[in-house]
Amino acid sequence: LTIPGGLYAVFKLKGKYGDLLPQLSLILEQWLPTSGFKMLSTPAYVHYHQNQFLDNDEKFSLDFCLPVSLFF
């Protein structure tokens, strides 16, 4: 996979199984509209440090990388 160059907003997220979608919703519904940025159509991606599906206690730690540009 080749990740397109450009500006990304990076969010360090932690939690347990079931916590990820609510955190992503907060980013897209609360942070993004007030940030001065707009989301691009290129894919967002995640870099896992700890994966809830591979960890016995179902915890995750990741960087969520959202492609953005300044909103004019």
Side-chain angles (χ1 to χ4, degrees):
L1 172 68
T2 301
I3 297 170
L7 183 63
Y8 287 83
V10 179
F11 301 88
K12 297 184 179 300
L13 306 177
K14 292 183 177 187
K16 60 181 174 115
Y17 180 78
D19 291 344
L20 183 56
L21 287 179
Q23 290 183 35
L24 295 178
S25 291
L26 287 173
I27 292 167
L28 297 176
E29 295 170 10
Q30 293 183 15
W31 177 83
L32 187 60
T34 62
S35 69
F37 294 99
K38 65 178 180 177
M39 185 170 65
L40 298 177
S41 61
T42 54
Y45 68 94
V46 173
H47 176 229
Y48 276 93
H49 303 285
Q50 183 179 7
N51 187 319
Q52 71 268 23
F53 298 111
L54 301 176
D55 192 73
N56 287 337
D57 58 5
E58 298 184 327
K59 292 185 178 177
F60 66 85
S61 172
L62 57 85
D63 296 332
F64 173 62
C65 304
L66 182 68
V68 295
S69 69
L70 289 174
F71 190 76
F72 293 104

mmCIF file with all atom_site columns, all heavy atoms in Angstrom, residues 25-40:
data_model
loop_
_atom_site.group_PDB
_atom_site.id
_atom_site.type_symbol
_atom_site.label_atom_id
_atom_site.label_alt_id
_atom_site.label_comp_id
_atom_site.label_asym_id
_atom_site.label_entity_id
_atom_site.label_seq_id
_atom_site.pdbx_PDB_ins_code
_atom_site.Cartn_x
_atom_site.Cartn_y
_atom_site.Cartn_z
_atom_site.occupancy
_atom_site.B_iso_or_equiv
_atom_site.pdbx_formal_charge
_atom_site.auth_seq_id
_atom_site.auth_comp_id
_atom_site.auth_asym_id
_atom_site.auth_atom_id
_atom_site.pdbx_PDB_model_num
ATOM 1   N N   . SER A 1 25 ? -16.121 8.854  15.949 1.00 0.00 ? 25 SER A N   1
ATOM 2   C CA  . SER A 1 25 ? -17.289 9.728  15.790 1.00 0.00 ? 25 SER A CA  1
ATOM 3   C C   . SER A 1 25 ? -17.040 11.111 16.388 1.00 0.00 ? 25 SER A C   1
ATOM 4   O O   . SER A 1 25 ? -17.416 12.126 15.802 1.00 0.00 ? 25 SER A O   1
ATOM 5   C CB  . SER A 1 25 ? -18.520 9.101  16.437 1.00 0.00 ? 25 SER A CB  1
ATOM 6   O OG  . SER A 1 25 ? -18.933 7.981  15.713 1.00 0.00 ? 25 SER A OG  1
ATOM 7   N N   . LEU A 1 26 ? -16.404 11.169 17.554 1.00 0.00 ? 26 LEU A N   1
ATOM 8   C CA  . LEU A 1 26 ? -16.083 12.457 18.168 1.00 0.00 ? 26 LEU A CA  1
ATOM 9   C C   . LEU A 1 26 ? -15.164 13.282 17.275 1.00 0.00 ? 26 LEU A C   1
ATOM 10  O O   . LEU A 1 26 ? -15.339 14.493 17.130 1.00 0.00 ? 26 LEU A O   1
ATOM 11  C CB  . LEU A 1 26 ? -15.428 12.259 19.537 1.00 0.00 ? 26 LEU A CB  1
ATOM 12  C CG  . LEU A 1 26 ? -16.336 11.789 20.664 1.00 0.00 ? 26 LEU A CG  1
ATOM 13  C CD1 . LEU A 1 26 ? -15.512 11.480 21.917 1.00 0.00 ? 26 LEU A CD1 1
ATOM 14  C CD2 . LEU A 1 26 ? -17.389 12.830 20.966 1.00 0.00 ? 26 LEU A CD2 1
ATOM 15  N N   . ILE A 1 27 ? -14.187 12.631 16.669 1.00 0.00 ? 27 ILE A N   1
ATOM 16  C CA  . ILE A 1 27 ? -13.265 13.329 15.778 1.00 0.00 ? 27 ILE A CA  1
ATOM 17  C C   . ILE A 1 27 ? -14.016 13.904 14.581 1.00 0.00 ? 27 ILE A C   1
ATOM 18  O O   . ILE A 1 27 ? -13.873 15.084 14.242 1.00 0.00 ? 27 ILE A O   1
ATOM 19  C CB  . ILE A 1 27 ? -12.136 12.384 15.315 1.00 0.00 ? 27 ILE A CB  1
ATOM 20  C CG1 . ILE A 1 27 ? -11.225 12.038 16.500 1.00 0.00 ? 27 ILE A CG1 1
ATOM 21  C CG2 . ILE A 1 27 ? -11.339 12.998 14.167 1.00 0.00 ? 27 ILE A CG2 1
ATOM 22  C CD1 . ILE A 1 27 ? -10.274 10.885 16.246 1.00 0.00 ? 27 ILE A CD1 1
ATOM 23  N N   . LEU A 1 28 ? -14.829 13.073 13.939 1.00 0.00 ? 28 LEU A N   1
ATOM 24  C CA  . LEU A 1 28 ? -15.506 13.495 12.711 1.00 0.00 ? 28 LEU A CA  1
ATOM 25  C C   . LEU A 1 28 ? -16.680 14.440 12.961 1.00 0.00 ? 28 LEU A C   1
ATOM 26  O O   . LEU A 1 28 ? -16.953 15.315 12.140 1.00 0.00 ? 28 LEU A O   1
ATOM 27  C CB  . LEU A 1 28 ? -15.966 12.269 11.930 1.00 0.00 ? 28 LEU A CB  1
ATOM 28  C CG  . LEU A 1 28 ? -14.835 11.360 11.433 1.00 0.00 ? 28 LEU A CG  1
ATOM 29  C CD1 . LEU A 1 28 ? -15.415 10.121 10.761 1.00 0.00 ? 28 LEU A CD1 1
ATOM 30  C CD2 . LEU A 1 28 ? -13.902 12.097 10.499 1.00 0.00 ? 28 LEU A CD2 1
ATOM 31  N N   . GLU A 1 29 ? -17.370 14.285 14.078 1.00 0.00 ? 29 GLU A N   1
ATOM 32  C CA  . GLU A 1 29 ? -18.563 15.082 14.337 1.00 0.00 ? 29 GLU A CA  1
ATOM 33  C C   . GLU A 1 29 ? -18.311 16.329 15.185 1.00 0.00 ? 29 GLU A C   1
ATOM 34  O O   . GLU A 1 29 ? -19.069 17.296 15.097 1.00 0.00 ? 29 GLU A O   1
ATOM 35  C CB  . GLU A 1 29 ? -19.629 14.217 15.013 1.00 0.00 ? 29 GLU A CB  1
ATOM 36  C CG  . GLU A 1 29 ? -20.130 13.094 14.121 1.00 0.00 ? 29 GLU A CG  1
ATOM 37  C CD  . GLU A 1 29 ? -21.007 12.095 14.853 1.00 0.00 ? 29 GLU A CD  1
ATOM 38  O OE1 . GLU A 1 29 ? -21.386 12.355 16.017 1.00 0.00 ? 29 GLU A OE1 1
ATOM 39  O OE2 . GLU A 1 29 ? -21.311 11.045 14.260 1.00 0.00 ? 29 GLU A OE2 1
ATOM 40  N N   . GLN A 1 30 ? -17.263 16.311 16.006 1.00 0.00 ? 30 GLN A N   1
ATOM 41  C CA  . GLN A 1 30 ? -17.004 17.460 16.878 1.00 0.00 ? 30 GLN A CA  1
ATOM 42  C C   . GLN A 1 30 ? -15.714 18.189 16.523 1.00 0.00 ? 30 GLN A C   1
ATOM 43  O O   . GLN A 1 30 ? -15.704 19.404 16.373 1.00 0.00 ? 30 GLN A O   1
ATOM 44  C CB  . GLN A 1 30 ? -16.995 17.023 18.344 1.00 0.00 ? 30 GLN A CB  1
ATOM 45  C CG  . GLN A 1 30 ? -18.360 16.582 18.817 1.00 0.00 ? 30 GLN A CG  1
ATOM 46  C CD  . GLN A 1 30 ? -18.375 16.220 20.289 1.00 0.00 ? 30 GLN A CD  1
ATOM 47  O OE1 . GLN A 1 30 ? -17.468 16.540 21.048 1.00 0.00 ? 30 GLN A OE1 1
ATOM 48  N NE2 . GLN A 1 30 ? -19.420 15.534 20.712 1.00 0.00 ? 30 GLN A NE2 1
ATOM 49  N N   . TRP A 1 31 ? -14.603 17.455 16.415 1.00 0.00 ? 31 TRP A N   1
ATOM 50  C CA  . TRP A 1 31 ? -13.332 18.124 16.141 1.00 0.00 ? 31 TRP A CA  1
ATOM 51  C C   . TRP A 1 31 ? -13.287 18.697 14.729 1.00 0.00 ? 31 TRP A C   1
ATOM 52  O O   . TRP A 1 31 ? -12.954 19.876 14.545 1.00 0.00 ? 31 TRP A O   1
ATOM 53  C CB  . TRP A 1 31 ? -12.147 17.154 16.338 1.00 0.00 ? 31 TRP A CB  1
ATOM 54  C CG  . TRP A 1 31 ? -10.856 17.814 15.995 1.00 0.00 ? 31 TRP A CG  1
ATOM 55  C CD1 . TRP A 1 31 ? -10.111 18.629 16.807 1.00 0.00 ? 31 TRP A CD1 1
ATOM 56  C CD2 . TRP A 1 31 ? -10.169 17.769 14.738 1.00 0.00 ? 31 TRP A CD2 1
ATOM 57  N NE1 . TRP A 1 31 ? -9.012  19.093 16.122 1.00 0.00 ? 31 TRP A NE1 1
ATOM 58  C CE2 . TRP A 1 31 ? -9.032  18.577 14.858 1.00 0.00 ? 31 TRP A CE2 1
ATOM 59  C CE3 . TRP A 1 31 ? -10.414 17.137 13.531 1.00 0.00 ? 31 TRP A CE3 1
ATOM 60  C CZ2 . TRP A 1 31 ? -8.124  18.750 13.809 1.00 0.00 ? 31 TRP A CZ2 1
ATOM 61  C CZ3 . TRP A 1 31 ? -9.520  17.310 12.488 1.00 0.00 ? 31 TRP A CZ3 1
ATOM 62  C CH2 . TRP A 1 31 ? -8.387  18.100 12.627 1.00 0.00 ? 31 TRP A CH2 1
ATOM 63  N N   . LEU A 1 32 ? -13.605 17.891 13.724 1.00 0.00 ? 32 LEU A N   1
ATOM 64  C CA  . LEU A 1 32 ? -13.444 18.306 12.332 1.00 0.00 ? 32 LEU A CA  1
ATOM 65  C C   . LEU A 1 32 ? -14.226 19.579 11.984 1.00 0.00 ? 32 LEU A C   1
ATOM 66  O O   . LEU A 1 32 ? -13.641 20.513 11.412 1.00 0.00 ? 32 LEU A O   1
ATOM 67  C CB  . LEU A 1 32 ? -13.809 17.162 11.383 1.00 0.00 ? 32 LEU A CB  1
ATOM 68  C CG  . LEU A 1 32 ? -13.536 17.400 9.906  1.00 0.00 ? 32 LEU A CG  1
ATOM 69  C CD1 . LEU A 1 32 ? -12.054 17.667 9.650  1.00 0.00 ? 32 LEU A CD1 1
ATOM 70  C CD2 . LEU A 1 32 ? -14.002 16.207 9.082  1.00 0.00 ? 32 LEU A CD2 1
ATOM 71  N N   . PRO A 1 33 ? -15.514 19.691 12.335 1.00 0.00 ? 33 PRO A N   1
ATOM 72  C CA  . PRO A 1 33 ? -16.251 20.905 11.945 1.00 0.00 ? 33 PRO A CA  1
ATOM 73  C C   . PRO A 1 33 ? -15.709 22.198 12.550 1.00 0.00 ? 33 PRO A C   1
ATOM 74  O O   . PRO A 1 33 ? -15.919 23.272 12.005 1.00 0.00 ? 33 PRO A O   1
ATOM 75  C CB  . PRO A 1 33 ? -17.673 20.641 12.455 1.00 0.00 ? 33 PRO A CB  1
ATOM 76  C CG  . PRO A 1 33 ? -17.775 19.169 12.580 1.00 0.00 ? 33 PRO A CG  1
ATOM 77  C CD  . PRO A 1 33 ? -16.398 18.703 12.956 1.00 0.00 ? 33 PRO A CD  1
ATOM 78  N N   . THR A 1 34 ? -15.006 22.129 13.671 1.00 0.00 ? 34 THR A N   1
ATOM 79  C CA  . THR A 1 34 ? -14.491 23.331 14.330 1.00 0.00 ? 34 THR A CA  1
ATOM 80  C C   . THR A 1 34 ? -12.986 23.515 14.144 1.00 0.00 ? 34 THR A C   1
ATOM 81  O O   . THR A 1 34 ? -12.414 24.451 14.682 1.00 0.00 ? 34 THR A O   1
ATOM 82  C CB  . THR A 1 34 ? -14.806 23.286 15.838 1.00 0.00 ? 34 THR A CB  1
ATOM 83  O OG1 . THR A 1 34 ? -14.150 22.161 16.418 1.00 0.00 ? 34 THR A OG1 1
ATOM 84  C CG2 . THR A 1 34 ? -16.303 23.201 16.090 1.00 0.00 ? 34 THR A CG2 1
ATOM 85  N N   . SER A 1 35 ? -12.359 22.632 13.378 1.00 0.00 ? 35 SER A N   1
ATOM 86  C CA  . SER A 1 35 ? -10.905 22.611 13.283 1.00 0.00 ? 35 SER A CA  1
ATOM 87  C C   . SER A 1 35 ? -10.309 23.592 12.275 1.00 0.00 ? 35 SER A C   1
ATOM 88  O O   . SER A 1 35 ? -9.131  23.907 12.346 1.00 0.00 ? 35 SER A O   1
ATOM 89  C CB  . SER A 1 35 ? -10.439 21.198 12.901 1.00 0.00 ? 35 SER A CB  1
ATOM 90  O OG  . SER A 1 35 ? -10.835 20.903 11.555 1.00 0.00 ? 35 SER A OG  1
ATOM 91  N N   . GLY A 1 36 ? -11.101 24.016 11.300 1.00 0.00 ? 36 GLY A N   1
ATOM 92  C CA  . GLY A 1 36 ? -10.546 24.825 10.220 1.00 0.00 ? 36 GLY A CA  1
ATOM 93  C C   . GLY A 1 36 ? -9.999  23.968 9.092  1.00 0.00 ? 36 GLY A C   1
ATOM 94  O O   . GLY A 1 36 ? -9.403  24.478 8.148  1.00 0.00 ? 36 GLY A O   1
ATOM 95  N N   . PHE A 1 37 ? -10.171 22.661 9.190  1.00 0.00 ? 37 PHE A N   1
ATOM 96  C CA  . PHE A 1 37 ? -9.734  21.722 8.160  1.00 0.00 ? 37 PHE A CA  1
ATOM 97  C C   . PHE A 1 37 ? -10.945 21.051 7.526  1.00 0.00 ? 37 PHE A C   1
ATOM 98  O O   . PHE A 1 37 ? -12.019 21.019 8.107  1.00 0.00 ? 37 PHE A O   1
ATOM 99  C CB  . PHE A 1 37 ? -8.832  20.627 8.757  1.00 0.00 ? 37 PHE A CB  1
ATOM 100 C CG  . PHE A 1 37 ? -7.522  21.137 9.267  1.00 0.00 ? 37 PHE A CG  1
ATOM 101 C CD1 . PHE A 1 37 ? -7.352  21.389 10.613 1.00 0.00 ? 37 PHE A CD1 1
ATOM 102 C CD2 . PHE A 1 37 ? -6.463  21.358 8.411  1.00 0.00 ? 37 PHE A CD2 1
ATOM 103 C CE1 . PHE A 1 37 ? -6.141  21.853 11.106 1.00 0.00 ? 37 PHE A CE1 1
ATOM 104 C CE2 . PHE A 1 37 ? -5.253  21.823 8.885  1.00 0.00 ? 37 PHE A CE2 1
ATOM 105 C CZ  . PHE A 1 37 ? -5.084  22.081 10.231 1.00 0.00 ? 37 PHE A CZ  1
ATOM 106 N N   . LYS A 1 38 ? -10.735 20.517 6.333  1.00 0.00 ? 38 LYS A N   1
ATOM 107 C CA  . LYS A 1 38 ? -11.742 19.656 5.728  1.00 0.00 ? 38 LYS A CA  1
ATOM 108 C C   . LYS A 1 38 ? -11.092 18.312 5.425  1.00 0.00 ? 38 LYS A C   1
ATOM 109 O O   . LYS A 1 38 ? -9.891  18.224 5.164  1.00 0.00 ? 38 LYS A O   1
ATOM 110 C CB  . LYS A 1 38 ? -12.345 20.278 4.471  1.00 0.00 ? 38 LYS A CB  1
ATOM 111 C CG  . LYS A 1 38 ? -11.390 20.458 3.326  1.00 0.00 ? 38 LYS A CG  1
ATOM 112 C CD  . LYS A 1 38 ? -12.109 21.037 2.131  1.00 0.00 ? 38 LYS A CD  1
ATOM 113 C CE  . LYS A 1 38 ? -11.128 21.222 0.973  1.00 0.00 ? 38 LYS A CE  1
ATOM 114 N NZ  . LYS A 1 38 ? -11.771 21.715 -0.226 1.00 0.00 ? 38 LYS A NZ  1
ATOM 115 N N   . MET A 1 39 ? -11.887 17.283 5.485  1.00 0.00 ? 39 MET A N   1
ATOM 116 C CA  . MET A 1 39 ? -11.411 15.925 5.230  1.00 0.00 ? 39 MET A CA  1
ATOM 117 C C   . MET A 1 39 ? -11.275 15.733 3.720  1.00 0.00 ? 39 MET A C   1
ATOM 118 O O   . MET A 1 39 ? -12.131 16.149 2.950  1.00 0.00 ? 39 MET A O   1
ATOM 119 C CB  . MET A 1 39 ? -12.401 14.916 5.812  1.00 0.00 ? 39 MET A CB  1
ATOM 120 C CG  . MET A 1 39 ? -11.952 13.491 5.713  1.00 0.00 ? 39 MET A CG  1
ATOM 121 S SD  . MET A 1 39 ? -13.005 12.355 6.667  1.00 0.00 ? 39 MET A SD  1
ATOM 122 C CE  . MET A 1 39 ? -14.545 12.512 5.801  1.00 0.00 ? 39 MET A CE  1
ATOM 123 N N   . LEU A 1 40 ? -10.184 15.100 3.306  1.00 0.00 ? 40 LEU A N   1
ATOM 124 C CA  . LEU A 1 40 ? -9.969  14.803 1.894  1.00 0.00 ? 40 LEU A CA  1
ATOM 125 C C   . LEU A 1 40 ? -10.583 13.462 1.541  1.00 0.00 ? 40 LEU A C   1
ATOM 126 O O   . LEU A 1 40 ? -10.926 12.663 2.418  1.00 0.00 ? 40 LEU A O   1
ATOM 127 C CB  . LEU A 1 40 ? -8.472  14.800 1.579  1.00 0.00 ? 40 LEU A CB  1
ATOM 128 C CG  . LEU A 1 40 ? -7.743  16.127 1.796  1.00 0.00 ? 40 LEU A CG  1
ATOM 129 C CD1 . LEU A 1 40 ? -6.259  15.977 1.510  1.00 0.00 ? 40 LEU A CD1 1
ATOM 130 C CD2 . LEU A 1 40 ? -8.350  17.212 0.925  1.00 0.00 ? 40 LEU A CD2 1
#
